[in-house]
Amino acid sequence: MGGPDDFGLLFGFDVINDEYLLVGDAAADLHVLAVDIKSGGVLARFGATGEGPKEFQGPLRISPDPVRADTWWVYDFTAWTWTPVTMVGGDASNWVIGDRYSLQGVPVAPETPMWVGENEALIHGVFSGYALVRATFDPNTRQVTEWSPIDMEQPFKDIPEPGLSLLNRSFIATRPSGGFAIAYQYDNWIEVRDREGLLVRKIDGPREVTPDYFIDDDNRFHWGDEDQNGYVGAHGIESGFYLLWCGAAECRRTMAIHQFDWDGSFVQEFAIVPVTDFAVSSTGNRLWGFTHEHLPPRISEWDLSN
């Protein structure tokens, strides 16, 4: 999908009615695109690089609004904002960018916010000592008014910063009807949690990962030469969730998709070429990912039905 000049570096994939892809471009002119799955063509581009209204500095995650079926939220990692984008009249070529919400005030490096109420969200990210907070927004100012951490164990502890936050980096796969799975980048540790963030079950992935790091005599954290990555991406549909497995130092060699059901059972592994991010159709029979190893960069499609 896409022509030689259509994409820069895509992150943040979501699927609209299994007909369109909504993706964020984090290179050159930062914006969001709607791509027609059937033709592979770009239907719409909206937003631009900047710090003002309707502009982006780093569109990294895209997630559906849990109530409004025509609205998606674009998380800007650089600006720490969350912007609603609405498809007008079911026309994927016609989008309106809404007023953004600020995530300033929560701990460093928030990544994926998930609405759990009209003005309340669970915010997942790279934090010091915890990975999930519950935040309340003022609907008028769209600012965080209060937040509190959700108590949850993580794979690594008692490690000096920035090592603790780096080693405990994780990715979220959300379920349309509520709930999510969380998987870690430097461990095969996976958790299924309900819409309130409460633990439902903990499971181990099918492959092992061994991060390479050490603490020097001055209690400083360092990466080693043989470091490995585990899970580096996630996507959820109603029947289950899919995790992007790396298994290498820079995620440019071995990559696979691991499929699980929401009971936490491992279903199967799909071999895949390196992708930066991906999405799966609501039926689970198609997968799309951004491939950039060979120019020009494209969105590729895989058949998972057989």
Side-chain angles (χ1 to χ4, degrees), residues 225-305:
D225 295 331
E226 303 298 325
D227 183 50
Q228 290 183 331
N229 288 257
Y231 290 115
V232 294
H235 187 83
I237 61 176
E238 190 57 38
S239 60
F241 60 96
Y242 298 76
L243 303 177
L244 179 59
W245 174 261
C246 174
E250 296 184 2
C251 296
R252 293 184 179 180
R253 297 193 299 272
T254 303
M255 301 197 81
I257 299 291
H258 291 171
Q259 179 186 358
F260 298 81
D261 62 30
W262 287 106
D263 290 328
S265 298
F266 173 67
V267 179
Q268 58 188 324
E269 177 180 281
F270 300 98
I272 191 172
V273 302
V275 296
T276 61
D277 207 345
F278 74 101
V280 179
S281 66
S282 64
T283 58
N285 65 358
R286 287 288 187 274
L287 181 146
W288 300 273
F290 180 62
T291 56
H292 63 97
E293 272 204 323
H294 306 289
L295 296 176
R298 299 287 178 91
I299 296 174
S300 298
E301 181 182 50
W302 286 265
D303 179 2
L304 305 184
S305 61

Side-chain angles (χ1 to χ4, degrees), residues 52-71:
K54 308 182 189 307
E55 295 177 334
F56 301 104
Q57 298 178 50
L60 184 68
R61 302 277 181 261
I62 295 178
S63 56
D65 187 286
V67 176
R68 296 174 292 177
D70 60 353
T71 299

Side-chain angles (χ1 to χ4, degrees), residues 7 21 26 54 74 79 116 140 156 161 163 178 186 233 237 246 262 272 298 303:
F7 308 132
L21 297 175
K54 308 182 189 307
V74 180
V116 294
N140 297 314
F156 300 93
E161 291 290 2
Y186 294 101
I237 61 176
C246 174
W262 287 106
I272 191 172
R298 299 287 178 91
D303 179 2

